[in-house]
Amino acid sequence: NAGVMQNPRHLVRRRGQEARLRCSPVKGHSHVYWYRQLPEEGLKFMVYLQKENIIDESGMPKERFSAEFPKEGPSILRIQQVVRGDSAAYFCASSLIPDTNSPLHFGNGTRLTVT
Amino acid sequence: TQLLEQSPQFLSIQEGENLTVYCNSSSVFSSLQWYRQEPGEGPVLLVTVVTGGEVKKLKRLTFQFGDARKDSSLHITAAQTGDTGLYLCAGAGNNRKLIWGLGTSLAVNP
């Protein structure tokens, strides 16, 4: 069984470009979460999606950031007009049910570097 | 705002030593999860504790949830180099969101 697959593993973008991060959840999981991690800040929740719906985007900046989880295909985290402060590791996790007692399965992350 | 504080932030020990790391809050959590994250990888769930006072063992790792469900500890016996990593705790908060600690970075030296 494949776990959560994220690609690319590393992404380098110049300031002002767009970054698209992809996440394929565990087969059968319909709940996807995106987190951002900086060494000094730990894991920060960004957005929680269920198929075709954004459930909670309270951790995602209102500008430049968007996320989707279409009926078919992977979840996408999109960052427009990237700035140096967007450099971080972005992790996707999926779960079978949305309850907080349910284990989260994490991918190995996309490391975004903005030059 | 619910917060989880993990201590110590960094820990470097020799192989064979015992250690305990802590996850503390002033808030009550309905459950608490412990994850280990190795460099370049995503966090992997180790255990979920649900009941106040609960103790769970995973080989050389012992997890305890405080009686009041506000804190938790992870004790590792006879640490091995393979235990090296970032240990993260995450509590199920009031609004059913996971609240994450900043982690304890453990280095076990041969």
Side-chain angles (χ1 to χ4, degrees):
Chain A
N1 288 327
V4 175
M5 303 299 291
Q6 288 188 251
N7 66 81
R9 286 298 304 272
H10 300 274
L11 183 60
V12 179
R13 284 287 177 265
R14 290 202 181 99
R15 277 180 299 171
Q17 290 185 319
E18 178 180 287
R20 290 171 72 87
L21 287 60
R22 293 175 186 78
C23 168
S24 296
V26 172
K27 190 175 180 181
H29 286 191
S30 58
H31 303 273
V32 165
Y33 308 79
W34 285 93
Y35 288 86
R36 171 187 159 112
Q37 187 175 39
L38 289 169
E40 68 275 14
E41 293 183 7
L43 274 175
K44 279 204 163 182
F45 167 79
M46 296 182 72
V47 61
Y48 162 35
L49 309 103
Q50 207 177 340
K51 279 288 186 181
E52 298 185 272
N53 292 307
I54 295 175
I55 307 300
D56 181 351
E57 56 183 348
S58 59
M60 197 162 67
K62 297 271 186 277
E63 295 180 358
R64 302 190 298 109
F65 285 74
S66 62
E68 62 177 17
F69 188 16
K71 190 176 178 182
E72 301 290 338
S75 175
I76 306 286
L77 179 67
R78 184 179 175 210
I79 311 173
Q80 294 178 289
Q81 299 173 344
V82 295
V83 300
R84 289 229 172 97
D86 296 332
S87 295
Y90 291 85
F91 287 94
C92 168
S94 72
S95 66
L96 185 61
I97 58 175
D99 193 275
T100 41
N101 286 338
S102 175
L104 288 177
H105 298 257
F106 282 85
N108 284 331
T110 293
R111 277 140 193 88
L112 173 65
T113 302
V114 179
T115 61
Chain B
T1 304
Q2 291 182 292
L3 294 172
L4 270 173
E5 293 187 1
Q6 290 193 245
S7 60
Q9 189 176 355
F10 300 99
L11 188 57
S12 180
I13 61 170
Q14 295 301 121
E15 206 168 16
E17 290 184 14
N18 301 333
L19 67 117
T20 302
V21 298
Y22 301 92
C23 177
N24 295 316
S25 177
S26 57
S27 304
V28 175
F29 293 97
S30 58
S31 66
L32 197 134
Q33 302 176 5
W34 282 93
Y35 290 79
R36 178 168 67 214
Q37 183 178 20
E38 298 188 25
E41 298 184 7
V44 175
L45 180 70
L46 296 173
V47 79
T48 302
V49 285
V50 180
T51 308
E54 183 176 4
V55 176
K56 279 193 173 177
K57 291 196 173 186
L58 191 65
K59 295 184 182 177
R60 295 174 293 100
L61 278 60
T62 301
F63 303 84
Q64 185 160 11
F65 201 12
D67 290 340
R69 290 184 288 128
K70 292 182 179 181
D71 51 76
S72 181
S73 64
L74 159 58
H75 182 79
I76 301 180
T77 304
Q80 299 176 357
T81 55
D83 295 328
T84 292
L86 178 68
Y87 288 81
L88 293 158
C89 65
N94 294 335
N95 54 3
R96 299 173 71 82
K97 273 188 187 171
L98 278 181
I99 310 296
W100 290 85
L102 294 183
T104 292
S105 181
L106 172 66
V108 181
N109 306 303

